[in-house]
Amino acid sequence: MGLVKALFLGVTTVTVEDTRVAAHIQMSSLHVVLPDTLCLYILPLSLSDDPLDGAKSIPSGARRYVFSGQQYLIQMKVFSGGPGGQEVYITESIEVSLHYNQSKYWKTFMVSDRISIWHGWWNSRILKMTSEGLDKLTASLSYFSRHPGTKEVLKVVQEVMVCEKVKFSFDKKSAVSERILLPWAPAVYQEVELEATGGCAKSSSDYKWFSSDMATVSVSASGVVQAKKPGKAAVRVASIFDPFNYDEVVVEVSIPSSMVMLQNFPVETVVGSQLQAAVTMKASNGAYFYKCDAFSSFVRWKAGSESFIIVNTTGETPVLDELQSVEPYASVYAPPCSWTYVHASDAGRSMLHATLTKEYQHLDHPFHGPIILKASSRIGAYLPLILCQAGDGNQFGGY
């Protein structure tokens, strides 16, 4: 090992000779320069203190967005000729320090010697983000200038905004954790609009949306997911300020295998009034779909008696909103796929039938055969109870 001491500014050549082998030498140039730029580099880390896949160390500049719960490497680097110039080796005589208040938004840790040697991370700290808020990091470097006995100081200040972790926002009744199940049938492409929170977003345009397989599950710039064909795809939403601040959910598209009546509405009513009815669908594993209202116009409703008349089979949106606001329905996670009103014109009992029929097209290979799903429920109507006066009550001394 050899030690080099820089005395003056300039360029020199350092020669290393292996005395055991004749003419075996290695030469390298050594530039003695004055530093003029100090930068802070921020790099997201995994729980094992390794860089995240695809992560790049970003130099200080405009406000940097990070997110709570994540840890980051803060590394100080010195350059001659600006940030794009040559990096300067920091010697022991150069005083480098990272200043930070005891911020309530993060905690600071030293980088272990093992990690520093393995990655070459010198003059670094690890920051663990704990809560949301805005704060600053300050770094300074002191070095001897051209004038003996005097020191120059370089300083850099970096604003750091700690955001909330990006998360999908699901309806509490849906009980979705990591998977969304959507139905598919020929020419029926179920859509669902996903929403996200966090990431310091002020509007929906502050998110970017991605699908791992757009041919199976597409997603628009506003987060509208559409089921294209049976299969699976991962849908990711990320903050535009930090691509590593994201949430992800698996969307599975399946062909419905059964249809059942929702048991959340009365099956009997008084003559002259209406009954509500709705059906939902299940996948082959018995799971309910997250949403299935795209099938509403393809379900045909029929009553088994002339005493009952189907008065609404189009399934307008206000009807769906009304169904979801009914208190008994609110406790059951089974979204209505189609819904209707049945008018009771006369007293009696009958069966209410719902049928879904879809034929595969030639482009739907390898699927074959029609989809035929049926559901039925007993319904009834009774005459209203009428009270009338039986007498004037004189024999009892009045009423």
Side-chain angles (χ1 to χ4, degrees), residues 73-74 109-116 121 124-126:
L73 178 78
I74 307 299
F109 305 92
M110 298 294 294
V111 180
S112 66
D113 293 339
R114 180 184 65 85
I115 296 296
S116 296
W121 290 341
S124 304
R125 299 288 188 276
I126 290 179

Side-chain angles (χ1 to χ4, degrees), residues 304-376:
S305 170
E306 294 182 355
S307 299
F308 299 92
I309 303 172
I310 306 298
V311 296
N312 187 321
T313 58
T314 58
E316 299 174 356
T317 302
V319 178
L320 177 59
D321 294 339
E322 183 178 342
L323 293 181
Q324 291 179 328
S325 65
V326 176
E327 184 62 29
Y329 170 74
S331 62
V332 178
Y333 171 55
C337 304
S338 182
W339 45 93
T340 191
Y341 285 119
V342 182
H343 178 74
S345 61
D346 199 0
R349 296 182 180 277
S350 183
M351 295 293 294
L352 177 63
H353 303 280
T355 305
L356 170 67
T357 303
K358 290 296 296 181
E359 295 282 349
Y360 287 109
Q361 308 297 323
H362 68 282
L363 296 177
D364 295 324
H365 182 79
F367 309 107
H368 57 84
I371 298 176
I372 302 177
L373 303 179
K374 296 181 179 181
S376 60

Side-chain angles (χ1 to χ4, degrees), residues 40 100 111 157 165 234 245 250 297 303 333 341 344 346-347 366-367 388:
L40 285 177
Y100 45 85
V111 180
V157 178
K165 179 77 169 65
N245 189 1
V250 174
S297 61
Y333 171 55
Y341 285 119
D346 199 0
F367 309 107
C388 60

Side-chain angles (χ1 to χ4, degrees), residues 109-394:
F109 305 92
M110 298 294 294
V111 180
S112 66
D113 293 339
R114 180 184 65 85
I115 296 296
S116 296
I117 295 173
W118 178 260
H119 293 287
W121 290 341
W122 313 112
N123 305 299
S124 304
R125 299 288 188 276
I126 290 179
L127 266 61
K128 176 69 176 292
M129 306 304 166
T130 56
S131 60
E132 297 78 36
L134 178 65
D135 212 332
K136 295 179 180 179
L137 288 170
T138 303
S140 63
L141 177 144
S142 301
Y143 64 96
F144 287 102
S145 65
R146 297 175 184 267
H147 307 288
T150 61
K151 284 188 174 183
E152 299 286 345
V153 178
L154 296 177
K155 187 177 181 180
V156 62
V157 178
Q158 174 66 58
E159 276 192 343
V160 178
M161 171 63 88
V162 184
C163 304
E164 185 182 1
K165 179 77 169 65
V166 171
K167 293 182 179 179
F168 282 108
S169 178
F170 294 114
D171 187 343
K172 293 182 179 179
K173 294 180 294 185
S174 65
V176 171
S177 56
E178 297 179 352
R179 188 188 70 150
I180 291 177
L181 183 61
L182 296 180
W184 176 90
V188 185
Y189 306 105
Q190 180 64 51
E191 291 186 348
V192 59
E193 184 175 4
L194 299 181
E195 296 181 353
T197 60
C200 292
K202 296 182 179 179
S203 66
S204 58
S205 61
D206 291 333
Y207 297 109
K208 284 188 176 182
W209 297 84
F210 308 90
S211 172
S212 62
D213 185 358
M214 290 289 285
T216 300
V217 177
S218 65
V219 61
S220 70
S222 58
V224 177
V225 171
Q226 186 181 73
K228 294 290 190 180
K229 64 177 183 179
K232 293 181 181 181
V235 173
R236 173 180 294 189
V237 57
S239 167
I240 63 171
F241 306 113
D242 180 6
F244 291 95
N245 189 1
Y246 67 86
D247 197 6
E248 197 169 70
V249 66
V250 174
V251 179
E252 181 177 352
V253 182
S254 176
I255 299 173
S257 64
S258 63
M259 184 166 66
V260 295
M261 289 281 184
L262 284 174
Q263 305 297 315
N264 307 98
F265 307 103
V267 295
E268 290 184 328
T269 188
V270 66
V271 172
S273 62
Q274 295 179 346
L275 288 169
Q276 297 181 53
V279 292
T280 190
M281 297 187 300
K282 295 181 180 182
S284 58
N285 62 357
Y288 290 110
F289 293 101
Y290 180 78
K291 194 175 183 182
C292 53
D293 60 306
F295 288 76
S296 61
S297 61
F298 298 97
V299 175
R300 299 292 176 255
W301 294 87
K302 182 180 179 181
S305 170
E306 294 182 355
S307 299
F308 299 92
I309 303 172
I310 306 298
V311 296
N312 187 321
T313 58
T314 58
E316 299 174 356
T317 302
V319 178
L320 177 59
D321 294 339
E322 183 178 342
L323 293 181
Q324 291 179 328
S325 65
V326 176
E327 184 62 29
Y329 170 74
S331 62
V332 178
Y333 171 55
C337 304
S338 182
W339 45 93
T340 191
Y341 285 119
V342 182
H343 178 74
S345 61
D346 199 0
R349 296 182 180 277
S350 183
M351 295 293 294
L352 177 63
H353 303 280
T355 305
L356 170 67
T357 303
K358 290 296 296 181
E359 295 282 349
Y360 287 109
Q361 308 297 323
H362 68 282
L363 296 177
D364 295 324
H365 182 79
F367 309 107
H368 57 84
I371 298 176
I372 302 177
L373 303 179
K374 296 181 179 181
S376 60
S377 175
R378 293 184 180 274
I379 56 175
Y382 51 86
L383 294 173
L385 177 64
I386 299 176
L387 297 178
C388 60
Q389 183 176 331
D392 57 13
N394 285 339

Side-chain angles (χ1 to χ4, degrees), residues 10-51:
V11 181
T12 187
T13 301
V14 177
T15 303
V16 179
E17 180 180 0
D18 188 347
T19 57
R20 299 169 299 177
V21 181
H24 187 197
I25 62 175
Q26 182 176 351
M27 304 174 65
S28 61
S29 60
L30 181 65
H31 296 250
V32 181
V33 298
L34 290 176
D36 56 27
T37 304
L38 175 63
C39 290
L40 285 177
Y41 282 76
I42 302 179
L43 178 69
L45 301 178
S46 66
L47 294 177
S48 59
D49 293 340
D50 293 316

